[in-house]
Amino acid sequence: MRRSDLVADTAITLLAERGMRGLTHRAVDEAAGLPPGSTSNLARTRAALLELTLARLTELESVVFAPEALDPTAGVDVDVAARAFARALHAQLLDRRRTLARYELALEATRRPELRAVYDLAGRRFRDVAATLLAAMGSADPARHAGELVAFGEGLMFYAVAGAGGASAEDDLRRAVADLLTGMLRPVR
């Protein structure tokens, strides 16, 4: 494993376990079993550590939300898209650590413009994939619908992880996503 991945993975765990205040260069070194100063050598500032962590988190989440099962040229329908999206959401919910860390980073990004830019760029990648898929499915406004689909997924995850909802079963997630997609793709009269 690359040292940068070890540092970022450890930072993700610390964010989930201790929150933003518990994430320090020294805490990462200790939790990762690295010599003192190792994290500082890789990410000199706190901002650099946060950006490294967010980049790694985005990389890990990109694997979970990989669009290969959703080839727009293959004529994806609501059921196929809903199953794939629900599978990805469920996988994300199974790793609460990543989801909690992302929420910590999202809140921190509201106070750090340099992190906000990185966070927004990462989010755009997911919305762009969703927009391409929704356009292929016949959406009248794929960019808007992609934003709504991502926001819906974010809301489901927040409700399951930090809200009162508890963990959601994959089939329940599939039905919820199918309902949303069906409404989005309904012709406007």
Side-chain angles (χ1 to χ4, degrees):
M1 174 182 278
R2 296 179 322 195
R3 183 167 284 204
S4 60
D5 290 347
L6 174 61
V7 166
D9 289 348
T10 303
I12 289 167
T13 299
L14 288 172
L15 282 171
E17 291 175 354
R18 302 178 188 176
M20 193 58 67
R21 293 188 71 198
L23 178 66
T24 65
H25 288 78
R26 180 178 295 158
V28 173
D29 287 342
E30 290 172 4
L34 295 171
S38 297
T39 299
S40 290
N41 285 335
L42 187 63
R44 176 74 48 216
T45 64
R46 181 165 179 79
L49 178 58
L50 294 174
E51 288 179 27
L52 176 74
T53 305
L54 181 55
R56 176 67 172 157
L57 191 56
T58 301
E59 176 186 339
L60 294 169
E61 289 180 338
S62 293
V63 172
V64 172
F65 288 95
E68 66 268 351
L70 300 174
D71 179 5
T73 62
V76 174
D77 63 11
V78 167
D79 187 56
V80 170
R83 283 184 192 287
F85 195 68
R87 192 175 311 113
L89 285 172
H90 190 256
Q92 188 70 9
L93 288 171
L94 291 177
D95 190 345
R96 287 176 49 93
R97 173 185 67 95
R98 281 197 312 234
T99 305
L100 287 170
R102 187 158 49 82
Y103 291 142
E104 289 286 342
L105 289 165
L107 290 172
E108 188 68 12
T110 66
R111 296 177 284 280
R112 291 180 178 264
E114 71 281 1
L115 187 60
R116 174 91 267 153
V118 175
Y119 193 86
D120 289 348
L121 182 62
R124 190 172 310 119
R125 290 174 45 197
F126 294 106
R127 288 188 304 278
D128 288 349
V129 169
T132 299
L133 175 68
L134 287 162
M137 292 174 68
S139 167
D141 192 346
R144 180 174 60 88
H145 287 154
E148 292 169 354
L149 179 61
V150 170
F152 183 74
E154 288 279 354
L156 286 172
M157 288 189 304
F158 186 86
Y159 184 68
V161 172
S168 294
E170 188 173 332
D171 198 52
D172 293 337
L173 293 168
R174 181 199 54 77
R175 282 194 300 274
V177 173
D179 289 347
L180 178 70
L181 290 173
T182 297
M184 284 179 175
L185 300 172
R186 182 177 297 131
V188 178
R189 298 177 208 255

mmCIF file of all heavy atoms in Angstrom, residues 102-126:
data_model
loop_
_atom_site.group_PDB
_atom_site.id
_atom_site.type_symbol
_atom_site.label_atom_id
_atom_site.label_comp_id
_atom_site.label_asym_id
_atom_site.label_seq_id
_atom_site.Cartn_x
_atom_site.Cartn_y
_atom_site.Cartn_z
ATOM 1 N N ARG A 102 -16.948 11.462 5.230
ATOM 2 C CA ARG A 102 -17.351 12.391 4.180
ATOM 3 C C ARG A 102 -18.222 13.503 4.741
ATOM 4 O O ARG A 102 -18.090 14.664 4.354
ATOM 5 C CB ARG A 102 -18.086 11.665 3.054
ATOM 6 C CG ARG A 102 -18.355 12.616 1.889
ATOM 7 C CD ARG A 102 -18.577 11.906 0.599
ATOM 8 N NE ARG A 102 -19.518 10.828 0.685
ATOM 9 C CZ ARG A 102 -20.836 10.978 0.640
ATOM 10 N NH1 ARG A 102 -21.366 12.166 0.530
ATOM 11 N NH2 ARG A 102 -21.614 9.926 0.703
ATOM 12 N N TYR A 103 -19.092 13.169 5.686
ATOM 13 C CA TYR A 103 -19.906 14.219 6.300
ATOM 14 C C TYR A 103 -19.048 15.184 7.104
ATOM 15 O O TYR A 103 -19.292 16.400 7.085
ATOM 16 C CB TYR A 103 -21.027 13.616 7.152
ATOM 17 C CG TYR A 103 -22.078 12.922 6.317
ATOM 18 C CD1 TYR A 103 -22.668 11.757 6.735
ATOM 19 C CD2 TYR A 103 -22.465 13.433 5.080
ATOM 20 C CE1 TYR A 103 -23.623 11.108 5.964
ATOM 21 C CE2 TYR A 103 -23.409 12.799 4.300
ATOM 22 C CZ TYR A 103 -23.983 11.642 4.741
ATOM 23 O OH TYR A 103 -24.920 11.017 3.963
ATOM 24 N N GLU A 104 -18.055 14.673 7.793
ATOM 25 C CA GLU A 104 -17.121 15.552 8.508
ATOM 26 C C GLU A 104 -16.422 16.502 7.522
ATOM 27 O O GLU A 104 -16.302 17.695 7.779
ATOM 28 C CB GLU A 104 -16.074 14.735 9.270
ATOM 29 C CG GLU A 104 -16.597 13.991 10.467
ATOM 30 C CD GLU A 104 -16.891 14.879 11.666
ATOM 31 O OE1 GLU A 104 -16.400 16.025 11.721
ATOM 32 O OE2 GLU A 104 -17.615 14.420 12.560
ATOM 33 N N LEU A 105 -15.971 15.958 6.408
ATOM 34 C CA LEU A 105 -15.280 16.783 5.402
ATOM 35 C C LEU A 105 -16.241 17.774 4.751
ATOM 36 O O LEU A 105 -15.856 18.912 4.459
ATOM 37 C CB LEU A 105 -14.614 15.897 4.352
ATOM 38 C CG LEU A 105 -13.393 15.133 4.862
ATOM 39 C CD1 LEU A 105 -13.025 14.011 3.893
ATOM 40 C CD2 LEU A 105 -12.215 16.069 5.077
ATOM 41 N N ALA A 106 -17.459 17.368 4.525
ATOM 42 C CA ALA A 106 -18.451 18.268 3.921
ATOM 43 C C ALA A 106 -18.704 19.477 4.822
ATOM 44 O O ALA A 106 -18.753 20.622 4.350
ATOM 45 C CB ALA A 106 -19.760 17.525 3.654
ATOM 46 N N LEU A 107 -18.846 19.218 6.117
ATOM 47 C CA LEU A 107 -19.064 20.333 7.042
ATOM 48 C C LEU A 107 -17.834 21.233 7.120
ATOM 49 O O LEU A 107 -17.951 22.457 7.160
ATOM 50 C CB LEU A 107 -19.446 19.801 8.422
ATOM 51 C CG LEU A 107 -20.832 19.163 8.497
ATOM 52 C CD1 LEU A 107 -21.037 18.491 9.848
ATOM 53 C CD2 LEU A 107 -21.917 20.198 8.233
ATOM 54 N N GLU A 108 -16.657 20.625 7.134
ATOM 55 C CA GLU A 108 -15.424 21.424 7.167
ATOM 56 C C GLU A 108 -15.279 22.263 5.896
ATOM 57 O O GLU A 108 -14.775 23.386 5.938
ATOM 58 C CB GLU A 108 -14.208 20.501 7.359
ATOM 59 C CG GLU A 108 -12.921 21.232 7.584
ATOM 60 C CD GLU A 108 -12.852 21.979 8.919
ATOM 61 O OE1 GLU A 108 -13.720 21.763 9.806
ATOM 62 O OE2 GLU A 108 -11.917 22.792 9.073
ATOM 63 N N ALA A 109 -15.749 21.731 4.772
ATOM 64 C CA ALA A 109 -15.667 22.455 3.505
ATOM 65 C C ALA A 109 -16.524 23.725 3.516
ATOM 66 O O ALA A 109 -16.256 24.654 2.752
ATOM 67 C CB ALA A 109 -16.075 21.549 2.345
ATOM 68 N N THR A 110 -17.507 23.792 4.398
ATOM 69 C CA THR A 110 -18.310 25.020 4.486
ATOM 70 C C THR A 110 -17.508 26.160 5.101
ATOM 71 O O THR A 110 -17.879 27.325 4.969
ATOM 72 C CB THR A 110 -19.603 24.807 5.322
ATOM 73 O OG1 THR A 110 -19.247 24.533 6.674
ATOM 74 C CG2 THR A 110 -20.450 23.691 4.742
ATOM 75 N N ARG A 111 -16.385 25.822 5.770
ATOM 76 C CA ARG A 111 -15.549 26.840 6.420
ATOM 77 C C ARG A 111 -14.200 27.024 5.740
ATOM 78 O O ARG A 111 -13.447 27.911 6.113
ATOM 79 C CB ARG A 111 -15.335 26.456 7.889
ATOM 80 C CG ARG A 111 -16.612 26.442 8.707
ATOM 81 C CD ARG A 111 -16.390 26.001 10.132
ATOM 82 N NE ARG A 111 -16.189 24.574 10.295
ATOM 83 C CZ ARG A 111 -17.146 23.661 10.318
ATOM 84 N NH1 ARG A 111 -18.402 24.027 10.172
ATOM 85 N NH2 ARG A 111 -16.875 22.387 10.502
ATOM 86 N N ARG A 112 -13.868 26.174 4.796
ATOM 87 C CA ARG A 112 -12.563 26.223 4.126
ATOM 88 C C ARG A 112 -12.775 26.264 2.614
ATOM 89 O O ARG A 112 -13.024 25.222 2.003
ATOM 90 C CB ARG A 112 -11.729 24.997 4.474
ATOM 91 C CG ARG A 112 -11.249 24.942 5.901
ATOM 92 C CD ARG A 112 -10.434 23.653 6.100
ATOM 93 N NE ARG A 112 -9.907 23.560 7.429
ATOM 94 C CZ ARG A 112 -8.684 23.924 7.778
ATOM 95 N NH1 ARG A 112 -7.852 24.404 6.882
ATOM 96 N NH2 ARG A 112 -8.286 23.791 9.024
ATOM 97 N N PRO A 113 -12.651 27.438 2.020
ATOM 98 C CA PRO A 113 -12.892 27.554 0.571
ATOM 99 C C PRO A 113 -12.013 26.626 -0.276
ATOM 100 O O PRO A 113 -12.468 26.102 -1.282
ATOM 101 C CB PRO A 113 -12.576 29.021 0.266
ATOM 102 C CG PRO A 113 -12.663 29.725 1.570
ATOM 103 C CD PRO A 113 -12.346 28.726 2.632
ATOM 104 N N GLU A 114 -10.758 26.402 0.145
ATOM 105 C CA GLU A 114 -9.875 25.530 -0.638
ATOM 106 C C GLU A 114 -10.370 24.084 -0.609
ATOM 107 O O GLU A 114 -10.286 23.364 -1.608
ATOM 108 C CB GLU A 114 -8.419 25.616 -0.155
ATOM 109 C CG GLU A 114 -8.127 24.988 1.202
ATOM 110 C CD GLU A 114 -8.524 25.812 2.439
ATOM 111 O OE1 GLU A 114 -9.066 26.924 2.297
ATOM 112 O OE2 GLU A 114 -8.279 25.323 3.557
ATOM 113 N N LEU A 115 -10.937 23.655 0.495
ATOM 114 C CA LEU A 115 -11.509 22.318 0.584
ATOM 115 C C LEU A 115 -12.847 22.264 -0.151
ATOM 116 O O LEU A 115 -13.182 21.257 -0.770
ATOM 117 C CB LEU A 115 -11.677 21.902 2.050
ATOM 118 C CG LEU A 115 -12.102 20.457 2.302
ATOM 119 C CD1 LEU A 115 -11.072 19.470 1.727
ATOM 120 C CD2 LEU A 115 -12.282 20.216 3.800
ATOM 121 N N ARG A 116 -13.597 23.342 -0.097
ATOM 122 C CA ARG A 116 -14.886 23.415 -0.806
ATOM 123 C C ARG A 116 -14.680 23.183 -2.298
ATOM 124 O O ARG A 116 -15.443 22.456 -2.929
ATOM 125 C CB ARG A 116 -15.519 24.783 -0.576
ATOM 126 C CG ARG A 116 -16.788 25.020 -1.372
ATOM 127 C CD ARG A 116 -18.051 24.608 -0.631
ATOM 128 N NE ARG A 116 -18.440 23.259 -0.944
ATOM 129 C CZ ARG A 116 -19.134 22.464 -0.121
ATOM 130 N NH1 ARG A 116 -19.495 22.870 1.058
ATOM 131 N NH2 ARG A 116 -19.460 21.263 -0.463
ATOM 132 N N ALA A 117 -13.629 23.784 -2.853
ATOM 133 C CA ALA A 117 -13.360 23.620 -4.281
ATOM 134 C C ALA A 117 -13.078 22.157 -4.615
ATOM 135 O O ALA A 117 -13.590 21.629 -5.609
ATOM 136 C CB ALA A 117 -12.185 24.505 -4.700
ATOM 137 N N VAL A 118 -12.304 21.483 -3.792
ATOM 138 C CA VAL A 118 -11.988 20.072 -4.011
ATOM 139 C C VAL A 118 -13.250 19.227 -3.833
ATOM 140 O O VAL A 118 -13.529 18.321 -4.628
ATOM 141 C CB VAL A 118 -10.872 19.606 -3.043
ATOM 142 C CG1 VAL A 118 -10.612 18.116 -3.172
ATOM 143 C CG2 VAL A 118 -9.592 20.390 -3.292
ATOM 144 N N TYR A 119 -14.020 19.528 -2.811
ATOM 145 C CA TYR A 119 -15.246 18.785 -2.531
ATOM 146 C C TYR A 119 -16.249 18.937 -3.685
ATOM 147 O O TYR A 119 -16.856 17.964 -4.122
ATOM 148 C CB TYR A 119 -15.848 19.287 -1.211
ATOM 149 C CG TYR A 119 -16.925 18.390 -0.667
ATOM 150 C CD1 TYR A 119 -16.614 17.302 0.143
ATOM 151 C CD2 TYR A 119 -18.263 18.620 -0.958
ATOM 152 C CE1 TYR A 119 -17.601 16.476 0.652
ATOM 153 C CE2 TYR A 119 -19.255 17.790 -0.460
ATOM 154 C CZ TYR A 119 -18.913 16.723 0.333
ATOM 155 O OH TYR A 119 -19.891 15.894 0.826
ATOM 156 N N ASP A 120 -16.412 20.164 -4.172
ATOM 157 C CA ASP A 120 -17.352 20.410 -5.266
ATOM 158 C C ASP A 120 -16.924 19.709 -6.551
ATOM 159 O O ASP A 120 -17.760 19.186 -7.290
ATOM 160 C CB ASP A 120 -17.508 21.912 -5.510
ATOM 161 C CG ASP A 120 -18.284 22.598 -4.395
ATOM 162 O OD1 ASP A 120 -18.899 21.897 -3.556
ATOM 163 O OD2 ASP A 120 -18.259 23.841 -4.357
ATOM 164 N N LEU A 121 -15.631 19.701 -6.827
ATOM 165 C CA LEU A 121 -15.122 19.009 -8.009
ATOM 166 C C LEU A 121 -15.400 17.512 -7.917
ATOM 167 O O LEU A 121 -15.836 16.888 -8.886
ATOM 168 C CB LEU A 121 -13.625 19.267 -8.178
ATOM 169 C CG LEU A 121 -12.969 18.640 -9.398
ATOM 170 C CD1 LEU A 121 -13.573 19.179 -10.681
ATOM 171 C CD2 LEU A 121 -11.468 18.911 -9.375
ATOM 172 N N ALA A 122 -15.181 16.939 -6.751
ATOM 173 C CA ALA A 122 -15.459 15.510 -6.552
ATOM 174 C C ALA A 122 -16.945 15.222 -6.765
ATOM 175 O O ALA A 122 -17.307 14.256 -7.440
ATOM 176 C CB ALA A 122 -15.018 15.079 -5.160
ATOM 177 N N GLY A 123 -17.796 16.051 -6.214
ATOM 178 C CA GLY A 123 -19.238 15.863 -6.371
ATOM 179 C C GLY A 123 -19.687 15.996 -7.808
ATOM 180 O O GLY A 123 -20.593 15.279 -8.264
ATOM 181 N N ARG A 124 -19.057 16.885 -8.545
ATOM 182 C CA ARG A 124 -19.409 17.088 -9.950
ATOM 183 C C ARG A 124 -19.171 15.814 -10.754
ATOM 184 O O ARG A 124 -19.937 15.500 -11.664
ATOM 185 C CB ARG A 124 -18.607 18.253 -10.539
ATOM 186 C CG ARG A 124 -19.102 18.677 -11.910
ATOM 187 C CD ARG A 124 -18.442 19.958 -12.414
ATOM 188 N NE ARG A 124 -18.493 21.006 -11.419
ATOM 189 C CZ ARG A 124 -17.404 21.596 -10.877
ATOM 190 N NH1 ARG A 124 -16.208 21.256 -11.261
ATOM 191 N NH2 ARG A 124 -17.536 22.544 -9.984
ATOM 192 N N ARG A 125 -18.119 15.073 -10.397
ATOM 193 C CA ARG A 125 -17.840 13.819 -11.113
ATOM 194 C C ARG A 125 -19.014 12.861 -11.009
ATOM 195 O O ARG A 125 -19.410 12.231 -11.983
ATOM 196 C CB ARG A 125 -16.580 13.158 -10.559
ATOM 197 C CG ARG A 125 -15.318 13.915 -10.904
ATOM 198 C CD ARG A 125 -14.082 13.355 -10.253
ATOM 199 N NE ARG A 125 -13.972 11.908 -10.325
ATOM 200 C CZ ARG A 125 -13.163 11.204 -9.561
ATOM 201 N NH1 ARG A 125 -12.395 11.803 -8.677
ATOM 202 N NH2 ARG A 125 -13.102 9.903 -9.680
ATOM 203 N N PHE A 126 -19.596 12.751 -9.825
ATOM 204 C CA PHE A 126 -20.725 11.844 -9.624
ATOM 205 C C PHE A 126 -21.982 12.368 -10.334
ATOM 206 O O PHE A 126 -22.727 11.596 -10.932
ATOM 207 C CB PHE A 126 -20.998 11.646 -8.132
ATOM 208 C CG PHE A 126 -19.886 10.928 -7.416
ATOM 209 C CD1 PHE A 126 -19.028 11.616 -6.567
ATOM 210 C CD2 PHE A 126 -19.677 9.572 -7.605
ATOM 211 C CE1 PHE A 126 -18.001 10.960 -5.907
ATOM 212 C CE2 PHE A 126 -18.648 8.903 -6.952
ATOM 213 C CZ PHE A 126 -17.803 9.598 -6.110
#
